[in-house]
Amino acid sequence: MNILEKTLKMLEKYPLCDHCLGRQFALLGHGLENDERGNAIKMILTLEAHALAISKDKKGVKTLKTLATNGFFGIAKDILHRMKKRIPSKRLPKTCFLCEDKFKIVDELAKKALERLKSYEYSNFLVGIELPVTVEEREDEFKAEFEVSYGENMRNEFGRVIGKKIAEFSGKTVEYKKPEMVVLVNPLAEEVRLQINPLYIAGRYRKLVRGIPQSKWLCSNCWGKGCEKCNWTGKMYQESVEEIIEKPFLDAAGGVKASFHASGREDIDARMLGKGRPFVIEITRPKKRFLNLKKLEEAVNVYAKGKVEVSNLQFADKDVVRKLKKAESAQKEYRVVIEFENTIATKDLRLLEEKLTNIMVKQKTPLRVLHRRADLTREKYIYEVKVKKLLPKKAEMKIRCQGGLYVKELVTGDEGRTTPSVSEILKNKAKPIKLDVLNVIMRN
Ligand SMILES: [Zn+2]
Ligand SMILES: [Zn+2]
């Protein structure tokens, strides 16, 4: 059946607006919207019907009446009027069978969305469409009845059309993968809601004093309610890295809540020095996103003065949190027995422990695996190193580090491809003679 015959069958049975008719042929032709398709098809049908009517073929007037009523087509109505053919008023349909005329109000829906978006800073968005099940089923049945094979669904079209409108009115862009704002529109109910995606900021923190836990630690007696034991604070410790850092972030972004994610954690009595530990702050429902991170960094460092210091602040996303968590869960402990070229002194062992704890190791792909792995530089974190002397030229080293660290190369230095390394720090050629994995630390 050709397009025109099929359309006539549809319109004889159901009233359809230009959008809903054109949508049944959405995959045909590029660069035009469904209402243009629908309008073009109705136009051709009207011209053909007009020709038939002029040649006194009864089918002509009948088709014009169908177009004037179920097709909502003004030109057909006009032709009938000039031919003095009357359209029985009871045949005039009220609304489009499929969309209930909601494509007529996309401008209003877009404006409603803009009104909601007004109080937030954002640069991109995505439109999500919510349709009643009955409306979707009605369209499915319609498609089956007319064997529609080049169609698109109503959800898609509403999403695209409203998205274009919002983009046009706001100057913002549509983002499919990681939108900052999701505009949830229910066109049938004429409702618009916002889903404000979190703002993620990554950085590194250093903890300059001992005695502060990384995260908020509730009182084990009252679980936060406040009791005599915790001096009515509800907490075991008055402050934490998390709480110290969060406040300036929340103030700057105007969010309702912040969550702190870090790659592993140090003990309460350990300082976190060096380049610091990677973290991500997730701010829920932020009002502001266009933050000056340099200024924010200063604000945090003033607020946390002497206790915690942040650096390298940058905008991040959910994936960075996932990576952080993954790295965290793969924490490992190793034991390696090392043989040295020259005799070692006790102070050498302490030096090793100091230089290899809470640091980031840079490793180029080891020479021994280079033939099957890409040549990359990886950064792996070592949380802790402990060294014990076994013989004048032999020692045992325990390392707790991020998964994926090449431990043998940490010992040898791999001709300068891993830095720092045991050989480099002691200027004493070292080689691993026994390596054991002691523990894989999984954090829920
Ligand atoms: Zn419609
Ligand atoms: Zn308590």
Side-chain angles (χ1 to χ4, degrees):
M1 198 187 297
N2 73 30
I3 293 174
L4 296 180
E5 285 170 19
K6 192 174 267 192
T7 296
L8 200 52
K9 282 241 152 43
M10 289 172 177
L11 288 177
E12 275 164 2
K13 197 158 176 194
Y14 303 108
L16 296 171
C17 72
D18 290 357
H19 278 276
C20 291
L21 173 63
R23 189 167 63 250
Q24 313 310 323
F25 306 98
L27 300 181
L28 305 175
H30 298 292
L32 67 163
E33 211 17 284
N34 289 334
D35 55 334
E36 298 174 280
R37 285 187 182 85
N39 191 278
I41 298 168
K42 287 177 188 177
M43 182 73 80
I44 297 294
L45 276 174
T46 301
L47 301 188
E48 283 197 338
H50 193 185
L52 288 175
I54 289 168
S55 60
K56 307 285 178 204
D57 187 328
K58 277 186 181 163
K59 255 166 55 190
V61 172
K62 186 174 175 257
T63 302
L64 285 170
K65 280 184 178 169
T66 300
L67 285 156
T69 54
N70 278 357
F72 308 99
F73 207 60
I75 297 170
K77 212 178 282 176
D78 197 44
I79 295 169
L80 288 170
H81 184 74
R82 282 162 192 253
M83 295 174 79
K84 307 217 171 351
K85 302 283 181 192
R86 291 191 45 217
I87 307 161
S89 61
K90 68 170 173 31
R91 272 194 65 189
L92 286 175
K94 288 185 180 64
T95 57
C96 171
F97 172 67
L98 293 176
C99 75
E100 298 174 15
D101 282 0
K102 298 306 178 192
F103 277 100
K104 280 187 185 160
I105 59 158
V106 291
D107 272 29
E108 287 158 53
L109 291 171
K111 278 174 190 154
K112 220 176 214 179
L114 247 58
E115 193 54 35
R116 303 255 194 289
L117 287 163
K118 207 168 63 181
S119 23
Y120 298 91
E121 278 182 1
Y122 66 103
S123 48
N124 61 56
F125 68 95
L126 183 65
V127 172
I129 298 294
E130 299 171 315
L131 291 177
V133 180
T134 50
V135 171
E136 287 193 295
E137 281 176 355
R138 186 166 65 201
E139 188 175 46
D140 287 346
E141 283 163 22
F142 177 90
K143 280 180 172 168
E145 182 178 349
F146 295 100
E147 293 171 354
V148 171
S149 43
Y150 298 104
E152 161 187 42
N153 64 39
M154 191 187 300
R155 179 188 297 277
N156 269 353
E157 185 176 357
F158 266 125
R160 185 180 59 250
V161 170
I162 296 172
K164 271 186 191 165
K165 282 285 171 202
I166 296 175
E168 182 190 322
F169 294 157
S170 67
K172 315 287 181 182
T173 51
V174 177
E175 160 69 33
Y176 293 94
K177 282 189 184 154
K178 289 167 188 163
E180 292 168 348
M181 312 296 268
V182 179
V183 183
L184 294 164
V185 183
N186 183 333
L188 274 291
E190 301 179 24
E191 279 169 6
V192 175
R193 290 186 296 129
L194 284 189
Q195 176 192 308
I196 300 136
N197 285 338
L199 171 67
Y200 298 91
I201 298 170
R204 285 175 184 249
Y205 78 81
R206 307 200 319 145
K207 191 175 92 188
L208 307 170
V209 292
R210 301 179 200 279
I212 302 176
Q214 186 192 62
S215 44
K216 190 173 167 183
W217 195 316
L218 291 182
C219 168
S220 60
N221 190 46
C222 66
W223 295 107
K225 272 191 220 152
C227 66
E228 220 160 286
K229 195 184 158 201
C230 61
N231 207 11
W232 309 101
T233 61
K235 295 186 286 187
M236 291 285 274
Y237 294 86
Q238 287 322 294
E239 47 189 8
S240 60
V241 173
E242 178 181 16
E243 290 161 282
I244 292 170
I245 294 180
E246 266 175 20
K247 171 129 177 32
F249 277 87
L250 267 179
D251 290 350
V256 296
K257 190 183 94 173
S259 315
F260 182 82
H261 312 280
S263 180
R265 59 177 67 224
E266 65 283 340
D267 291 334
I268 292 170
D269 58 3
R271 292 184 293 179
M272 174 65 239
L273 302 173
K275 285 182 182 166
R277 185 188 300 279
F279 71 89
V280 174
I281 292 247
E282 174 181 349
I283 296 148
T284 308
R285 299 179 69 88
K287 285 242 153 91
K288 297 192 187 309
R289 288 175 195 267
F290 307 150
L291 305 178
N292 180 332
L293 295 185
K294 210 68 223 162
K295 269 200 180 145
L296 179 56
E297 187 174 312
E298 283 165 24
V300 177
N301 291 342
V302 166
Y303 180 75
K305 192 150 188 62
K307 297 173 191 163
V308 179
E309 214 174 80
V310 298
S311 60
N312 286 346
L313 295 189
Q314 45 197 295
F315 293 109
D317 56 41
K318 211 192 244 166
D319 294 347
V320 178
V321 177
R322 205 176 303 132
K323 278 181 204 150
L324 216 61
K325 294 283 161 195
K326 214 170 149 193
E328 181 188 42
S329 66
Q331 221 183 90
K332 282 179 179 168
E333 271 182 45
Y334 293 96
R335 178 174 58 209
V336 57
V337 178
I338 305 171
E339 198 171 63
F340 291 89
E341 196 171 58
N342 301 307
T343 314
I344 43 171
T346 310
K347 68 169 172 46
D348 291 336
L349 307 182
R350 299 293 85 79
L351 184 66
L352 273 184
E353 290 182 346
E354 191 194 319
K355 296 275 186 188
L356 289 178
T357 293
N358 281 336
I359 60 141
M360 195 64 90
V361 178
K362 278 200 169 124
Q363 296 196 300
K364 286 186 186 156
T365 304
L367 291 169
R368 66 186 161 91
V369 299
L370 200 50
H371 65 282
R372 56 188 167 89
R373 298 267 167 84
D375 195 1
L376 301 169
T377 300
R378 294 175 181 80
E379 284 198 333
K380 296 291 173 189
Y381 201 81
I382 301 185
Y383 301 90
E384 196 175 28
V385 159
K386 287 248 166 75
V387 195
K388 197 167 81 184
K389 193 166 164 180
L390 302 175
L391 287 167
K393 290 186 180 180
K394 221 180 243 184
E396 178 199 69
M397 181 163 82
K398 283 187 183 169
I399 307 145
R400 185 160 60 84
C401 62
Q402 193 183 348
L405 179 92
Y406 290 110
V407 179
K408 288 176 182 168
E409 281 67 28
L410 176 71
V411 174
T412 63
D414 201 25
E415 299 181 20
R417 295 173 66 84
T418 287
T419 181
S421 70
V422 173
S423 295
E424 182 194 336
I425 291 165
L426 298 184
K427 298 185 179 63
N428 185 351
K429 206 170 172 188
K431 81 174 183 211
I433 54 173
K434 246 199 235 166
L435 176 68
D436 300 305
V437 179
L438 296 183
N439 198 3
V440 176
I441 301 153
M442 301 296 289
R443 290 172 197 273
N444 41 348

